[in-house]
Amino acid sequence: MKKILKDIYRNKVWLIMVLPGTIWLLLFAYLPMFGQVLAFKDFRIHPDGFFASVITSEWVGWDNFKYLFSTNDALIITRNTILYNLVFIVLGLVAAVGTAIILSELVNKRLSKVYQTGMLFPHFISWVIGSYFVFTFLSADSGLLNSVLGWFNIDPVSWYNEPKYWPYILVFMSLWKGVGYGSIVYLASIVGIDRAYYEAAMIDGASKWKQIKHITLPMLKPLMIILTIMNVGRIFNSDFGLFYQVPRDSGTLYAVTNVIDTFVFRGLMTLGDIGMSTAAGLYQSVVGLALVLITNYIVRKVDEESALF
C-alpha cells in the first residue's frame, strides 16, 4: 500500500492531467453499463424515480430481443447496416490513406495546410446542416442538380422518392464528412517516417510511386490494421444523423436508408419501448466486441506485431 501511495505521489502531475478524462469515462462509459439490465425488463415508469422504475419493472428475459428480430424489417435493417459499414470501412480507408499521401507530397506546405483545413471543416458540421446542403442540390423544385438537368432538356428527378440513387449519395456524404478527419492520423504517421528511407530510395533511382509502395504503405500498415479492427467493432453501429437527417426521414427511402439505429429510434418514438431500445444497443455492443476479438485473433495469427492486443 505504501508503495502504491508513493507511486501516486511521484506521478501526481500526470494523474491530475488524466483525471478529467477518467471522470468523463466513468460517468458516460462505465456508469451507464448498469442500465443494460433494462434490456431484460419491461420498463415502466415508477413515481419514486428511475431506480425504483428499474427495480419494480417486470423481468421479461429475451422478449425484447425477440421483438427486435421478429419484425419484417429485421433482415433489411441488418443488411443495410452491415453493407453500408463495410463500404464505409473500405472506401474510407483507401480515401483517407490516399489523401494523406497526396497532402504529404505537396511541395507547397502552406497550400497543403489550406487543403487540410478545407477537408477537415465538414467533420465539424452537424448532419442537420449537412442535410440542408444536400437538399439544396436535390430539391425537386429548386435543386441545383435538377436545374442542371433542365439545361440539357432532361426531366427533373424526384430524388427523395427514388431509392436507387441513395446508396451512392450516402456513401459520398460519409466520405465528404469523414475523409479529412481520417487522413490526419495517417498524415501524422507519414510525417514521422524517417526521411533517410526516401533519400536512400531516391539514390537507388526509385520513382515516387515505388517510394510510396515500398516505404510509405508498409510504414502505415500497422496503423491501418489497428484502425480497421476498431472500425470493424462498430460495424453494427450506424451514423444516425447520416441515415436519418440526410434523407429527411423519407418513408419511400426506408428500403435503402433504414438501419438498426434509425429503426430503434422510430420504434422508441412510436411505441416508447425503452426495453427494446436498450436490447438493440446491447446487441450492437456485444456483436461489436465479438467482431473486434475475432478480427484481432485473425490478424495476430497472420502478423502478431500488427495485432491490437
Side-chain angles (χ1 to χ4, degrees):
M1 186 64 181
K2 187 179 294 185
K3 185 178 182 300
I4 295 175
L5 293 176
K6 284 183 178 180
D7 289 338
I8 293 175
Y9 181 78
R10 188 183 305 113
N11 298 288
K12 60 182 181 297
V13 175
W14 310 112
L15 292 174
I16 292 173
M17 287 178 62
V18 302
L19 183 61
T22 303
I23 294 174
W24 182 92
L25 195 66
L26 290 173
L27 290 178
F28 296 101
Y30 286 96
L31 190 60
M33 286 185 180
F34 294 103
Q36 298 299 332
V37 69
L38 296 180
F40 306 95
K41 286 198 166 196
D42 182 16
F43 185 76
R44 290 290 182 268
I45 301 296
H46 193 278
D48 292 338
F50 173 76
F51 291 104
S53 301
V54 174
I55 295 172
T56 58
S57 294
E58 179 186 356
W59 286 96
V60 294
W62 299 98
D63 287 355
N64 289 322
F65 295 90
K66 292 177 182 177
Y67 173 78
L68 178 63
F69 294 105
S70 63
T71 62
N72 295 327
D73 295 325
L75 179 61
I76 295 174
I77 62 175
T78 303
R79 178 203 64 189
N80 288 346
T81 303
I82 295 175
L83 292 182
Y84 274 121
N85 279 319
L86 284 175
V87 174
F88 293 161
I89 290 172
V90 175
L91 292 185
L93 175 64
V94 174
V97 173
T99 302
I101 292 174
I102 292 172
L103 291 174
S104 68
E105 295 296 334
L106 289 178
V107 177
N108 190 331
K109 297 304 178 185
R110 183 173 297 179
L111 189 61
S112 174
K113 292 180 180 179
V114 173
Y115 290 149
Q116 288 179 52
T117 304
M119 289 187 295
L120 185 62
F121 181 70
H123 175 74
F124 298 101
I125 297 177
S126 72
W127 279 122
V128 176
I129 304 300
S131 68
Y132 283 101
F133 288 166
V134 176
F135 186 73
T136 302
F137 283 89
L138 303 184
S139 173
D141 300 324
S142 57
L144 181 59
L145 284 182
N146 278 340
S147 298
V148 173
L149 292 176
W151 296 343
F152 297 96
N153 295 321
I154 300 175
D155 293 335
V157 178
S158 181
W159 299 98
Y160 289 92
N161 293 311
E162 294 288 347
K164 61 183 178 181
Y165 299 113
W166 278 90
Y168 305 101
I169 295 172
L170 293 174
V171 170
F172 174 80
M173 291 303 298
S174 177
L175 293 175
W176 171 77
K177 199 172 192 297
V179 166
Y181 183 80
S183 64
I184 290 178
V185 180
Y186 294 108
L187 183 59
S189 183
I190 292 173
V191 172
I193 297 175
D194 192 343
R195 305 311 299 179
Y197 292 116
Y198 295 99
E199 293 171 0
M202 285 187 288
I203 292 174
D204 290 338
S207 64
K208 185 61 66 176
W209 165 244
K210 288 186 177 180
Q211 292 176 38
I212 293 172
K213 181 180 179 181
H214 297 289
I215 299 175
T216 307
L217 292 179
M219 289 292 184
L220 292 178
K221 178 183 173 183
L223 180 61
M224 293 164 62
I225 292 174
I226 289 173
L227 293 181
T228 300
I229 292 174
M230 296 175 68
N231 287 330
V232 167
R234 294 192 292 269
I235 202 169
F236 269 76
N237 295 75
S238 304
D239 191 336
F240 176 80
L242 173 63
F243 291 96
Y244 185 82
Q245 297 291 350
V246 175
R248 305 179 73 83
D249 196 26
S250 175
T252 56
L253 302 178
Y254 282 176
V256 295
T257 62
N258 204 10
V259 291
I260 294 177
D261 294 83
T262 56
F263 175 79
V264 170
F265 174 76
R266 293 185 185 106
L268 180 62
M269 296 299 292
T270 304
L271 304 175
D273 194 337
I274 296 176
M276 186 270 288
S277 303
T278 308
L282 180 59
Y283 163 70
Q284 290 174 307
S285 300
V286 171
V287 173
L289 174 62
L291 289 173
V292 167
L293 295 175
I294 293 170
T295 307
N296 187 76
Y297 175 79
I298 295 172
V299 171
R300 192 168 67 244
K301 288 294 184 181
V302 176
D303 184 4
E304 188 172 353
E305 293 184 357
S306 298
L308 184 61
F309 51 86

